[in-house]
C-alpha cells in the first residue's frame, strides 16, 4: 500500500493520486470508522441482539398490564391461574419430599401469564425480568455516562495541565484504585443505601436508583481516567501538538482542536465496555440486596429471589442470569467492533478486577 | 546550491544563540541528586545569518533535534540565551512570544506524526492564519489555495485528510503550514530522512525553490551528509550535545578540521574516482558515550585517534582557527 503510493508520488506529486480525486468525497476518520463498524458482522449482530433486548424490556409495563394482566411488584400468594382449562394455584403446597413449605408455579411457557413461572412471592418472573431489565440497563447506561464524564474531565485535566493538578488527581485516583472495586462498591452501598443524601439541591432518597448509579459510576472512574490521562500526555508530546505550539496556537485551542477530538475515540470505545462492566457490577450489588431495592426489580435481585428456589424452580434464577450474560456478551462484542473500527492498533483493555 | 552568494555576514545575525544548554531530568525523584540529568544540548553558541542555510549534522542522539526545538523555543532551555531578530526569545512570555512565532517555524521529521489525523488539510493550513491576525474567511481560503500551489499540491485535495496522502505529500503539507505566516526562519528537523530517496530530492528542491522565492533562512538538521552538502551554505557538526566544528559547507567537506568531522565525512561514499587526494575511510572505535555521563575533557577523546593526555583533562573551546571556521579541538586535523 505504502510502496504503491510512494511510487506514484515519486513520478510527479501533482499527478499523484493514491485514492482518486473525484471518485468520492474525502471520508473523514469518523466516516471511515463508521463504515468499518457497519461492515463488522459480529458487532452488528451483537448490536441487533442488544437493541432487541432493550426494545423487549421497554415493553415491560405494556406486557404486565395488557398481556399477562399481572402486577409484578406485590405478592400474590393466593392467586390462581387457568392453564389449558385446568385451574392451578400459583403457590402450591409442596408434594415432594416431606411435603413441607410450598412451591411456586413453574414456567407455563405461555405469554398470557407466568411464562417463566412465579417466584416465592407468587410474582410473574417474566414480567419482573422485563422491569428488572429496564432498571439494569438504565443503571448501566447512566453510570457509564457519569463515569466517562468524570473520567474525561479528570483525565484530561491531569494530563493536559500536569503539575499540581496532575499530582492531586492522580493520587486521588490511586486511593480509589487501591480498593478492590467490588469491595469499594459494596462498602459504599452498605453505608449509603438506607439513608437519603443531600448534595446541595440534589436529594437522593433512600433506595433510589441514583444511588447504585453514582456508586458504580464513581468506583470505575480511575479505570477510565488513567488511560485518558496517559493518552492526553502522549498527545501533548506528539509532534502535531508541538507543531501547533510552534505556530503560536493558544493552549485552549490546542486542547479543543488537537487533543479532545483524539481523546473522543477512546471515550467512545469505553462506552460499550463500561456498560457491560457496570451491568455486572449492578447485578452483583443487587444480588447482595445493596443495589436496587425492593419492590423494584433488577436482574440481580431476581437472581437473589430465585436462590431459594434453585432446586425446585431453577428458571427463576437462571433466566435473569442468562439475560445478564447475553447482554454483557453483546456489549463486549459490539465494543470490540467499535474499538477495531476506531483504532485497530489500540490495545485498550480494561484491567481485570 | 541554495542561497549561494548570500553568505556574507552583514549586520546582526537573524538568530544568535549563546551558551545554550538543555538538560532533561530522567526519573521523578524528589530527593536532591536522585535524578539523572541528560545533557542533550551542552553550551552551544551559533549564529544564523539572514538568507543562509545552516546545516546541522551529527549522529542520531547527538542533540541536534533538541537544539533545533530549542532554537524556536519548543523546548525551554536550561541555560543560555537565544536572540531572534534582536529579541531574547528564551525569556519571553507566551503572550509576547506569539508574534515572534509567526516569524520562525519548524518542519518536523515525521510527516505522519506532525499532522493531526483528524483534521482536513484545509483546516490544518488555515490554523496558523486563524490564530494570527484578523483575516476574513475568503482571505484565508485564498491564502490556503496559494500555499497549496507553492508546495505543488493539487488545490482540490484540500478537503482530504492526512492519511490519504503519501509521505512526500504530507511533508509538503507540513512545509506549507510552516511557511503560511511568511516566516523569516524555518528550522527543518530532518525533513527528508523519513522519505524515500526519490522523494527526498523533490523535497530538497522544494526547500531550495521556496528559499529563493520567499527569502527564507533555514536551519537544516540532518544526519545524511550528502543532503546537507547539497542544501546548506554553512555547516555545523554536532557531537554529544556540542558543536565541534562549523564553517562554510564546502570547506568543511573538503578539509574537515575536527577529527570527528573528518571521520564523519570520510564515511560519505564518493563518486569522484579520479580524486587524487582520496581520503581513507576512518572507522570510529566504540559507541557514542551516554549524554547522562559524558567523558571528561574533550567529549570525543575516547574515540579520537589523535587524542593526547591534554584532551582527557581539558575541554577544548570552540575557536576561530580560520576566518569563518570554528573548531573545538586541541589538535585540529591538518594544522
Amino acid at each position: 500500500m505504502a510502496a504503491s503510493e510512494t511510487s506514484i508520488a515519486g513520478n510527479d506529486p501533482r499527478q499523484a493520486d493514491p485514492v482518486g480525486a473525484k471518485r468520492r468525497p474525502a471520508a473523514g476518520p469518523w466516516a471511515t470508522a463508521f463504515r468499518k463498524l457497519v461492515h463488522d458482522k459480529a458487532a452488528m449482530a451483537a448490536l441487533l441482539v442488544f437493541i432487541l433486548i432493550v426494545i423487549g424490556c421497554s415493553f415491560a409495563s405494556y406486557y404486565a398490564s395488557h398481556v399477562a394482566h399481572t402486577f409484578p411488584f406485590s405478592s400474590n400468594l393466593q392467586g390462581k391461574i387457568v392453564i389449558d382449562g385446568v385451574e392451578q394455584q400459583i403457590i402450591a403446597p409442596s408434594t415432594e419430599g416431606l411435603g413441607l413449605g410450598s412451591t411456586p408455579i413453574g414456567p407455563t411457557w405461555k405469554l398470557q401469564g407466568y411464562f417463566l413461572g412465579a417466584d416465592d412471592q407468587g410474582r410473574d418472573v417474566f414480567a419482573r425480568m422485563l422491569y428488572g431489565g429496564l432498571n439494569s440497563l438504565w443503571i448501566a447506561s447512566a453510570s457509564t455516562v457519569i463515569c466517562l464524564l468524570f473520567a474525561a474531565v479528570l483525565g484530561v485535566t491531569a494530563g493536559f495541565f500536569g503539575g499540581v493538578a496532575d499530582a492531586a488527581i492522580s493520587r486521588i485516583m490511586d486511593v480509589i484504585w487501591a480498593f478492590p472495586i467490588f469491595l469499594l462498591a459494596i462498602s459504599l452501598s452498605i453505608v449509603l443505601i438506607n439513608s437519603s443524601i443531600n448534595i446541595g439541591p440534589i436529594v437522593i432518597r433512600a433506595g433510589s436508583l441514583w444511588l447504585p448509579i453514582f456508586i458504580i459510576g464513581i468506583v470505575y472512574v480511575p479505570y477510565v481516567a488513567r488511560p485518558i490521562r496517559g493518552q492526553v500526555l502522549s498527545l501533548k508530546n506528539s509532534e502535531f501538538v508541538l507543531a501547533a505550539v510552534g505556530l503560536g496556537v493558544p493552549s485552549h485551542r490546542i486542547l479543543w482542536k488537537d487533543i479532545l477530538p483524539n481523546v473522543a475515540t477512546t471515550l467512545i470505545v469505553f462506552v460499550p465496555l463500561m456498560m457491560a462492566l457496570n451491568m455486572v457490577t449492578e447485578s452483583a450489588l443487587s444480588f447482595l440486596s445493596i443495589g436496587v431495592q425492593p419492590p423494584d426489580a433488577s436482574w440481580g435481585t431476581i437472581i437473589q429471589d430465585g436462590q431459594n428456589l434453585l432446586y425446585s424452580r431453577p428458571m427463576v434464577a437462571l433466566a435473569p442470569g442468562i439475560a445478564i450474560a447475553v447482554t454483557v456478551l453483546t456489549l463486549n462484542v459490539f465494543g470490540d467492533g467499535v474499538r477495531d473500527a476506531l483504532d485497530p492498533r489500540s490495545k485498550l483493555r480494561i484491567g481485570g478486577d | 546550491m541554495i542561497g549561494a552568494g548570500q553568505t556574507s555576514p552583514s549586520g546582526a545575525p537573524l538568530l544568535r544563540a549563546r551558551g545554550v544548554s538543555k538538560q532533561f531530568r530522567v526519573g521523578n525523584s524528589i530527593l536532591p541528586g536522585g535524578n539523572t540529568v541528560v545533557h542533550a544540548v551542552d553550551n552551544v553558541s551559533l549564529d544564523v545569518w539572514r538568507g543562509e542555510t545552516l546545516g546541522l549534522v551529527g549522529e542520531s542522539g547527538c542533540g541536534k533535534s533538541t537544539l533545533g526545538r530549542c532554537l524556536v523555543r519548543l523546548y525551554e532551555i536550561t541555560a543560555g540565551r537565544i536572540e531572534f531578530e534582536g529579541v531574547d526569545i528564551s525569556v519571553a512570555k507566551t503572550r509576547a512570544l506569539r508574534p515572534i512565532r509567526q516569524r520562525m517555524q519548524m518542519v518536523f521529521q515525521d510527516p505522519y506524526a506532525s499532522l493531526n489525523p483528524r483534521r482536513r488539510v484545509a483546516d490544518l493550513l488555515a490554523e496558523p492564519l486563524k490564530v494570527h491576525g484578523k483575516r476574513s474567511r475568503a482571505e484565508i481560503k485564498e491564502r490556503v489555495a496559494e500555499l497549496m500551489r507553492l508546495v505543488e499540491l493539487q488545490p482540490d485535495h484540500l478537503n482530504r485528510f492526512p492519511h490519504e496522502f503519501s509521505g512526500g505529500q504530507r511533508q509538503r503539507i507540513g512545509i506549507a503550514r510552516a511557511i503560511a505566516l511568511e516566516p523569516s526562519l524555518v528550522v527543518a528537523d530532518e525533513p527528508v530522512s523519513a522519505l524515500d530517496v526519490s522523494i527526498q530530492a523533490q523535497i530538497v528542491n522544494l526547500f531550495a525553490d521556496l528559499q529563493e522565492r520567499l527569502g527564507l533562512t533555514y536551519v537544516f538538521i540532518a544526519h545524511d551528509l550528502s543532503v546537507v552538502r547539497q542544501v546548506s551554505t554553512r555547516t555545523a557538526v554536532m557531537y554529544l550535545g556540542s558543536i565541534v566544528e562549523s564553517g562554510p559547507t564546502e570547506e568543511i567537506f573538503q578539509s574537515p578540521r575536527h577529527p570527528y568531522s573528518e571521520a564523519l565525512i570520510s564515511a560519505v561514499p564518493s563518486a569522484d574516482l579520479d580524486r587524487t587526494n582520496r581520503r581513507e575511510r576512518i572507522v570510529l572505535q566504540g559507541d557514542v558515550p551516554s549524554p547522562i555521563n559524558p567523558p571528561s575533557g574533550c567529549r570525543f577523546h575516547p574515540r579520537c585517534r589523535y587524542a593526547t593526555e591534554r584532551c582527557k583533562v581539558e575541554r577544548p573551546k570552540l575557536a576561530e582557527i580560520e576566518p569563518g571556521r570554528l573548531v573545538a579541538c586541541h589538535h585540529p586535523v591538518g594544522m
Side-chain angles (χ1 to χ4, degrees):
Chain A
M1 180 69 186
S4 67
E5 278 185 28
T6 44
S7 66
I8 299 168
N11 299 330
D12 183 352
R14 279 157 294 193
Q15 311 268 304
D17 189 9
V19 280
K22 292 178 182 73
R23 266 180 289 145
R24 57 170 177 79
W30 293 114
T32 313
F34 183 73
R35 198 174 303 133
K36 205 169 165 194
L37 183 62
V38 169
H39 285 103
D40 185 339
K41 286 197 183 85
M44 282 300 106
L47 182 66
L48 185 71
V49 174
F50 180 73
I51 289 174
L52 287 178
I53 292 170
V54 174
I55 291 175
C57 289
S58 59
F59 277 105
S61 72
Y62 178 84
Y63 172 79
S65 55
H66 289 88
V67 181
H69 305 289
T70 173
F71 182 71
F73 296 108
S74 62
S75 54
N76 185 18
L77 300 174
Q78 314 298 328
K80 291 184 171 57
I81 184 171
V82 179
I83 299 158
D84 297 335
V86 183
E87 193 180 65
Q88 291 190 14
Q89 279 182 292
I90 286 165
I91 304 288
S94 289
T95 50
E96 292 163 25
L98 295 172
L100 294 174
S102 56
T103 309
I105 192 169
T108 62
W109 305 118
K110 289 186 166 44
L111 283 172
Q112 289 86 344
Y114 296 95
F115 180 72
L116 294 173
D119 61 12
D120 53 8
Q121 299 286 316
R123 299 174 293 195
D124 186 325
V125 171
F126 187 64
R128 278 179 71 75
M129 280 252 315
L130 296 183
Y131 276 106
L134 268 189
N135 278 345
S136 287
L137 289 165
W138 161 244
I139 293 174
S141 2
S143 56
T144 299
V145 170
I146 287 171
C147 176
L148 294 185
L149 217 61
F150 274 94
V153 171
L154 292 173
V156 170
T157 309
F160 191 72
F161 296 103
V164 181
D166 184 20
I169 291 171
S170 295
R171 291 302 81 76
I172 294 170
M173 293 295 119
D174 284 349
V175 169
I176 300 179
W177 192 288
F179 289 95
I181 202 103
F182 274 89
L183 199 59
L184 180 63
I186 289 167
S187 326
L188 283 174
S189 303
I190 288 174
V191 172
L192 300 173
I193 201 77
N194 285 319
S195 51
S196 62
I197 305 165
N198 302 322
I199 311 162
I202 307 164
V203 178
I204 299 176
R205 273 173 292 117
S208 159
L209 285 185
W210 285 103
L211 216 61
I213 287 174
F214 269 101
I215 289 168
I216 294 165
I218 299 294
V219 294
Y220 279 113
V221 164
Y223 287 74
V224 183
R226 273 208 183 180
I228 298 284
R229 171 184 172 271
Q231 201 195 1
V232 172
L233 267 182
S234 71
L235 282 171
K236 205 179 145 193
N237 295 319
S238 69
E239 282 199 349
F240 65 80
V241 168
L242 219 50
V245 172
L247 289 168
V249 181
S251 47
H252 62 86
R253 195 178 162 93
I254 292 177
L255 182 65
W256 196 247
K257 294 272 182 180
D258 287 324
I259 305 236
L260 288 183
N262 285 291
V263 172
T265 57
T266 313
L267 282 173
I268 290 170
V269 169
F270 265 117
V271 169
L273 300 178
M274 286 314 292
M275 264 184 82
L277 213 53
N278 290 349
M279 179 165 278
V280 172
T281 313
E282 180 275 324
S283 308
L285 289 179
S286 298
F287 176 76
L288 298 170
S289 352
I290 45 177
V292 174
Q293 294 301 297
D296 277 343
S298 97
W299 287 339
T301 63
I302 301 171
I303 295 180
Q304 196 210 12
D305 294 341
Q307 213 180 353
N308 300 325
L309 303 168
L310 211 51
Y311 294 109
S312 50
R313 296 288 177 241
M315 195 50 76
V316 180
L318 216 53
I322 292 169
I324 293 168
V326 170
T327 312
V328 167
L329 183 71
T330 60
L331 283 169
N332 274 323
V333 172
F334 180 66
D336 279 356
V338 171
R339 191 195 56 212
D340 290 346
L342 281 172
D343 188 3
R345 285 158 301 170
S346 158
K347 291 282 179 288
L348 184 80
R349 268 284 181 209
I350 301 164
D353 43 64
Chain B
M1 198 68 56
I2 294 175
Q6 292 178 302
T7 47
S8 55
S10 56
L14 180 65
L15 184 90
R16 178 201 291 266
R18 287 293 172 268
V20 171
S21 294
K22 173 66 185 172
Q23 300 172 349
F24 291 103
R25 280 196 330 180
V26 183
N28 205 11
S29 172
I30 50 167
L31 297 174
N35 289 314
T36 31
V37 173
V38 179
H39 303 266
V41 175
D42 189 15
N43 198 16
V44 164
S45 298
L46 60 82
D47 291 330
V48 182
W49 300 93
R50 216 172 270 277
E52 76 168 348
T53 299
L54 174 68
L56 209 54
V57 296
E59 288 164 288
S60 28
C62 74
K64 52 191 192 302
S65 288
T66 308
L67 177 60
R69 288 178 180 190
C70 288
L71 290 181
V72 293
R73 196 160 160 201
L74 287 179
Y75 289 160
E76 303 290 323
I77 57 174
T78 317
R81 183 179 166 81
I82 298 172
E83 281 173 25
F84 174 75
E85 291 182 337
V87 183
D88 187 350
I89 59 164
S90 48
V91 293
K93 294 268 192 303
T94 314
R95 195 167 288 269
L97 212 55
R98 281 190 57 203
I100 303 170
R101 292 243 185 249
Q102 303 182 43
R103 316 274 308 136
M104 51 182 203
Q105 278 303 316
M106 183 133 190
V107 175
F108 291 87
Q109 171 178 10
D110 185 351
Y112 293 84
S114 58
L115 303 173
N116 186 343
R118 303 209 161 261
R119 301 185 75 176
R120 292 173 194 271
V121 173
D123 211 13
L124 287 166
L125 293 183
E127 185 76 359
L129 304 169
K130 282 179 187 162
V131 168
H132 292 284
K134 290 188 170 43
R135 289 179 179 81
S136 70
R137 201 169 277 218
E139 282 172 327
I140 289 177
K141 206 176 164 193
E142 197 179 317
R143 176 68 180 151
V144 167
E146 190 189 339
L147 288 169
M148 291 292 272
R149 277 196 302 278
L150 268 175
V151 297
E152 296 164 10
L153 285 172
Q154 286 185 358
D156 57 346
H157 286 181
L158 273 171
N159 276 327
R160 292 190 178 183
F161 286 86
H163 70 266
E164 299 176 82
F165 292 91
S166 67
Q169 289 173 313
R170 282 164 175 240
Q171 199 56 290
R172 286 172 192 272
I173 297 167
I175 294 168
R177 179 175 60 180
I179 61 171
L181 295 166
E182 300 177 341
S184 51
L185 175 73
V186 173
V187 174
D189 182 6
E190 308 221 21
V192 298
S193 61
L195 306 176
D196 282 5
V197 178
S198 59
I199 299 171
Q200 282 191 1
Q202 292 177 9
I203 298 293
V204 165
N205 289 339
L206 176 65
F207 269 106
D209 186 37
L210 291 174
Q211 184 169 47
E212 208 165 277
R213 281 206 228 176
L214 308 172
L216 296 169
T217 305
Y218 291 137
V219 173
F220 199 95
I221 301 167
H223 60 253
D224 186 340
L225 291 171
S226 47
V227 171
V228 167
R229 188 171 194 174
Q230 194 191 340
V231 299
S232 55
T233 40
R234 272 197 319 133
T235 298
V237 183
M238 274 187 88
Y239 183 75
L240 216 61
S242 303
I243 289 178
V244 293
E245 177 167 11
S246 70
T249 303
E250 268 317 298
E251 283 181 39
I252 288 192
F253 275 83
Q254 293 292 344
S255 56
R257 293 297 184 211
H258 194 280
Y260 177 65
S261 334
E262 186 193 23
L264 211 57
I265 286 157
S266 80
V268 181
S270 170
D272 187 3
L273 298 171
D274 295 332
R275 226 149 91 183
T276 45
N277 58 344
R278 285 192 64 178
R279 276 188 294 268
E280 59 178 314
R281 185 158 169 9
I282 305 162
V283 180
L284 287 175
Q285 301 299 312
D287 289 327
V288 186
S290 161
I292 296 173
N293 188 17
S296 64
C298 175
R299 297 281 152 95
F300 187 59
H301 85 257
R303 302 171 78 191
C304 179
R305 54 182 190 160
Y306 308 108
T308 59
E309 279 305 311
R310 186 185 173 202
C311 300
K312 290 180 187 166
V313 187
E314 190 190 332
R315 190 165 178 196
K317 287 199 167 57
L318 196 64
E320 190 158 18
I321 54 162
E322 285 165 35
R325 293 204 63 181
L326 299 158
V327 178
C329 185
H330 295 307
H331 314 287
V333 180
M335 306 241 359

